Amino acid sequence: MFDRIAPRYDLANRVLSVGVDRSWRRACVASLSLPKGARVLDLCTGTADLLLEALSPEPTRRGTGVDLSPGMLRLGASKLSARGMAARAALAAGDACTLPLADASFDAALAAFGIRNVDDLPRALRELSRVLRPGAPLRILEFTEPRGALGWASRWYLRHVLPRVGGLVSGDRGAYAYLPASVARFPRPPAFAALLVEAGFRGVRWRTLTLGVACLYEGERAA
């Protein structure tokens, strides 16, 4: 499915979020405080938008993006090359539940709007903990459903507007019918925070973005 929608994935993101997805990624990266030369992992990297955002502020940073979709990774590689970052970034096809990466090999880990697609969420979170050095930060961006009347409006948009518009832009309505279902299945913020703690993260907190449509989760790998 992700290979099928890859050619117009970035355009669909811009249209469906009215460009707000860019501000979410900026907020995610801005929340990090990293030393020069830091190594950053972007899990479920897709077309590498978040990895590009993470590498841009500091020319000594290096990054690795992991994703299951070869189609997405090909586009990500083209974008990294066009931005002159190919020498500082590696992209790898891999499963979030069995990362092809060494223990304690990263100074930060990020994931944007992909972790809800993982089959075994606790296992993937444990893998993120494994590849981070002790004390290293984790940042995860994910959709959530607001409460009250705004939640009703959000669900209506996700179920009725998004599949139609996403289908028109991408040519694959089925993929954008999947998205609201995956958001509905994903744990609410307190439950997801509890999973992060169980996986070995400390100082776990979250904050909602854009009236609660998205959520930024923060934590650090325990020693």
Side-chain angles (χ1 to χ4, degrees):
M1 181 183 72
F2 288 103
D3 283 344
R4 290 199 312 269
I5 64 174
R8 292 194 167 187
Y9 180 73
D10 289 341
L11 176 61
N13 283 346
R14 301 297 98 80
V15 171
L16 292 167
S17 73
V18 200
V20 177
D21 62 308
R22 289 171 171 165
S23 70
W24 295 336
R25 291 182 178 88
R26 285 195 294 269
C28 178
V29 172
S31 71
L32 293 169
S33 178
L34 296 174
K36 288 189 175 182
R39 292 194 64 199
V40 179
L41 169 65
D42 181 20
L43 183 63
C44 306
T45 191
T47 62
D49 270 352
L50 186 58
L51 185 59
L52 283 161
E53 189 71 40
L55 296 183
S56 294
E58 174 51 61
T60 65
R61 284 184 191 171
R62 294 168 293 153
T64 298
V66 177
D67 200 281
L68 271 179
S69 168
M72 292 283 188
L73 291 172
R74 282 192 293 270
L75 288 172
S78 296
K79 288 160 66 174
L80 287 163
S81 180
R83 294 275 294 275
M85 296 184 188
R88 295 197 281 134
L91 298 180
D95 187 339
C97 296
T98 53
L99 290 173
L101 303 168
D103 293 358
S105 54
F106 288 90
D107 301 299
L110 314 170
F113 308 111
I115 200 74
R116 73 180 186 282
N117 300 316
V118 175
D119 287 336
D120 189 339
L121 193 51
R123 185 176 176 184
L125 297 179
R126 290 194 299 270
E127 278 290 272
L128 281 170
S129 178
R130 177 184 67 79
V131 301
L132 283 172
R133 63 171 177 76
L138 172 72
R139 300 290 186 267
I140 294 178
L141 277 167
E142 196 48 84
F143 292 116
T144 188
E145 293 187 336
R147 298 290 190 183
L150 187 60
W152 178 90
S154 174
R155 287 189 293 274
W156 184 86
Y157 174 80
L158 286 172
R159 293 169 186 171
H160 300 287
V161 177
L162 186 145
R164 290 186 175 91
V165 177
L168 285 172
V169 175
S170 70
D172 192 327
R173 182 167 175 173
Y176 287 89
Y178 162 82
L179 191 151
S182 68
V183 173
R185 286 195 305 267
F186 193 71
R188 298 289 304 174
F192 184 61
L195 289 176
L196 288 169
V197 172
E198 291 172 9
F201 292 94
R202 68 187 184 197
V204 176
R205 61 270 184 200
W206 69 87
R207 55 189 168 106
T208 56
L209 306 171
T210 315
L211 302 176
V213 171
C215 197
L216 175 60
Y217 299 89
E218 304 179 20
E220 292 78 41
R221 185 201 157 178

